[in-house]
Amino acid sequence: MTDSPPTITVHVKFAGRTIPVVVPASASTAELKLLLQPLTNVLPRGQRLICKGKVLAEAASLSSMQVADGSKVMLIASQGLHQGDGPITKNSSGPAATAKRTSNVKENHTQKQEIISKSRPERWKITGVIALSDSGLKVVPEEVWDCGSSVRVLDVCNNSIETIPQKIAALRSLNKLLVTANNLSDEGICWEGLSCVQTLTVLSLSQNRLVTLPPSLGSLTFLRELRIANNMIGNLPVEIGLLKQLEILIANNNSRITSLPYSIGDCESLIEVNLSSNLLAELPEAFGNLHNLKLSSNRLCT
């Protein structure tokens, strides 16, 4: 007789209620979505699952996404991908089933009204995710800073934002700051405030108007991913060597980088580097210290 595989219980928050779901400990996000389909009446492709501020990747295992026994997961459903008026049941015909569906319609409608009635900051605090890309913004809304430590992801890509102010320090639990394709200059970023966000792991500043990066970049010691492509950056600060956990450095299409600091060899966790379309004639010998490194699409120009 074989032992049953170990299981975990995940608490899924959806439409104002918490749904306990028992899944195999080795299950993937896709398998969890299939289990949620009859419980929420939302097709798997319409389910967006968020845990600890991170969207759970479809093919990833729950364990790799740090979903463990007792974890809380937020389910956000895409409109138009519900199957009907209520959860799937075996007895789906007859007067009783019709009455039940009618009851479910009213209940779901009430729950949706409650969600819609919540203010935007309240929704941000619940999910930990502020998604404001392609919103025609020139400044980051004040209500963003009021969310404080509740925010783990701030995405304001593809806007016309010119400043990241001192108030960024209020987001002291921020993991990802995505400001790609805006109008940021060197003076527009308050690095003093940004340096206070010691939880930051992903910083994307690509497609802006940056010319230099300050020494204070080195204070973001938990940074794992730095994207600064398509700017006008001329060099990287020596302090980049302090980023011991940096795994990805994307700095292509700056056109002005002629050399790299020797300290780049101290970024011992680097896996991927893209320095293409710059003016690099050679790489420092310190690159030999980066045993896990893969150079991506580089072309060294003389």
Side-chain angles (χ1 to χ4, degrees):
M1 181 175 180
T2 58
D3 294 333
S4 300
T7 61
I8 60 174
T9 300
V10 179
H11 301 282
V12 180
K13 293 188 175 183
F14 174 66
R17 59 195 176 109
T18 300
I19 307 170
V21 184
V22 179
V23 297
S26 59
S28 66
T29 301
E31 291 171 312
L32 175 57
K33 287 183 176 182
L34 287 174
L35 291 174
L36 284 170
Q37 180 178 347
L39 300 174
T40 63
N41 197 40
V42 181
L43 293 171
R45 69 175 184 271
Q47 298 178 27
R48 189 172 184 230
L49 301 180
I50 299 173
C51 183
K52 299 178 182 178
K54 296 181 179 179
V55 177
L56 303 186
E58 183 81 8
S61 65
L62 296 178
S63 59
S64 70
M65 302 299 293
Q66 298 183 333
V67 178
D69 188 44
S71 290
K72 296 178 181 179
V73 175
M74 174 71 66
L75 166 58
I76 300 176
S78 299
Q79 293 184 354
L81 289 174
H82 288 60
Q83 295 172 332
D85 297 328
I88 298 173
T89 59
K90 291 183 179 178
N91 301 318
S92 58
S93 61
T98 301
K100 187 173 182 179
R101 284 198 298 269
T102 303
S103 174
N104 284 329
V105 170
K106 292 179 179 179
E107 181 181 351
N108 290 341
H109 181 68
T110 301
Q111 290 170 345
K112 288 176 184 177
Q113 283 184 323
E114 290 176 354
I115 294 173
I116 293 172
S117 67
K118 289 183 180 295
S119 67
R120 188 163 68 167
E122 286 177 320
R123 295 197 299 271
W124 290 341
K125 288 179 181 179
I126 290 172
T127 63
V129 178
I130 299 179
L132 291 172
S133 61
D134 296 291
S135 297
L137 299 175
K138 292 186 177 180
V139 296
V140 179
E142 285 295 319
E143 55 193 340
V144 167
W145 316 125
D146 295 336
C147 292
S149 59
S150 300
V151 181
R152 290 179 292 274
V153 178
L154 175 57
D155 180 359
V156 290
C157 296
N158 297 302
N159 285 290
S160 300
I161 293 171
E162 296 183 353
T163 59
I164 298 297
Q166 170 71 37
K167 293 178 181 179
I168 188 70
L171 309 186
R172 53 186 178 276
S173 298
L174 191 66
N175 299 140
K176 296 182 180 181
L177 177 58
L178 311 176
V179 205
T180 299
N182 275 278
N183 200 25
L184 291 174
S185 62
D186 293 356
E187 297 76 18
I189 302 178
C190 179
W191 285 93
E192 180 182 354
L194 193 56
S195 298
C196 296
V197 187
Q198 289 297 302
T199 54
L200 200 63
T201 59
V202 177
L203 177 59
S204 181
L205 297 170
S206 296
Q207 298 180 52
N208 280 282
R209 297 190 295 111
L210 301 178
V211 177
T212 60
L213 294 175
S216 56
L217 175 69
S219 66
L220 302 175
T221 53
F222 285 93
L223 206 61
R224 293 180 180 275
E225 186 172 331
L226 176 61
R227 294 181 176 271
I228 52 173
N230 295 94
N231 280 285
M232 298 176 285
I233 295 172
N235 55 66
L236 301 180
V238 173
E239 289 77 8
I240 197 171
L242 299 174
L243 305 182
K244 304 292 185 181
Q245 298 189 45
L246 190 66
E247 298 176 353
I248 298 175
L249 173 61
I250 306 299
N252 56 291
N253 292 295
N254 276 282
S255 302
R256 298 186 180 184
I257 298 178
T258 58
S259 63
L260 298 175
Y262 191 83
S263 61
I264 193 75
D266 295 329
C267 299
E268 55 196 31
S269 300
L270 270 177
I271 298 174
E272 178 183 352
V273 173
N274 190 336
L275 295 163
S276 62
S277 299
N278 282 292
L279 297 176
L280 285 169
E282 59 182 4
L283 298 175
E285 293 182 5
F287 258 76
N289 300 331
L290 308 176
H291 302 295
N292 299 316
L293 183 63
K294 298 176 182 178
L295 287 175
S296 175
S297 302
N298 281 276
R299 182 172 64 240
L300 300 183
C301 304
T302 56

